[in-house]
Amino acid sequence: EVQLVESGGGLVQAGGSLRLSCAASGFTFDDYAIGWFRQAPGKEREGVSYISSSDGSTYYAESVKGRFTISSDNAKNTVYLQMNSLKPEDTAVYYCAATTTVYIRGSYYYPKDPHEYPYWGQGTQVTVSS
């Protein structure tokens, strides 16, 4: 059974930093992607950043590019999201989620749509005060 456990959320002032962790276990497949998503009250869940276990490729939403960094520690089966220069609009519940990657014509692909991710953690609250 795939399990994802997030940690590291909290309250921080604008301009501050937080590092979220996503501890993963139970994968029975080798090629997967981990995505960080967030959902603010009254808003749709949106993708923030993604990393592929297959080739290490990463992707960032425009709203966080240059401020957030996703990384993985394969020995610890943990994916991190380093969030710097936080803004009040980053306030949300942050989730990590997992899906399988697809190998097509020499490249690995993974979806950005949260509906394509079958495995989810419980979420961690990030609050950025102004």
Side-chain angles (χ1 to χ4, degrees):
E1 179 185 1
V2 175
Q3 289 190 328
L4 302 170
V5 180
E6 303 99 333
S7 61
L11 172 64
V12 65
Q13 288 188 330
S17 298
L18 284 173
R19 188 178 79 158
L20 305 183
S21 299
C22 174
S25 63
F27 286 108
T28 58
F29 38 88
D30 294 328
D31 296 313
Y32 59 90
I34 298 289
W36 282 100
F37 298 83
R38 66 186 181 187
Q39 188 166 21
K43 293 189 176 181
E44 295 284 324
R45 188 168 297 189
E46 64 171 346
V48 174
S49 184
Y50 309 79
I51 189 166
S52 168
S53 76
S54 309
D55 58 5
S57 62
T58 59
Y59 177 89
Y60 298 92
E62 284 298 322
S63 59
V64 305
K65 198 173 289 185
R67 300 188 298 122
F68 291 11
T69 302
I70 192 170
S71 63
S72 64
D73 184 334
N74 293 334
K76 296 182 178 180
N77 292 324
T78 301
V79 172
Y80 303 98
L81 185 67
Q82 178 66 44
M83 306 186 296
N84 298 329
S85 303
L86 283 162
K87 304 175 181 180
E89 51 263 43
D90 294 317
T91 294
V93 178
Y94 283 69
Y95 302 88
C96 66
T99 191
T100 54
T101 58
V102 178
Y103 186 76
I104 301 176
R105 296 178 183 174
S107 298
Y108 288 95
Y109 294 90
Y110 48 88
K112 308 300 189 296
D113 185 342
H115 294 96
E116 302 294 328
Y117 284 73
Y119 308 105
W120 289 83
Q122 82 287 354
T124 185
Q125 175 71 46
V126 172
T127 304
V128 184
S129 63
S130 57

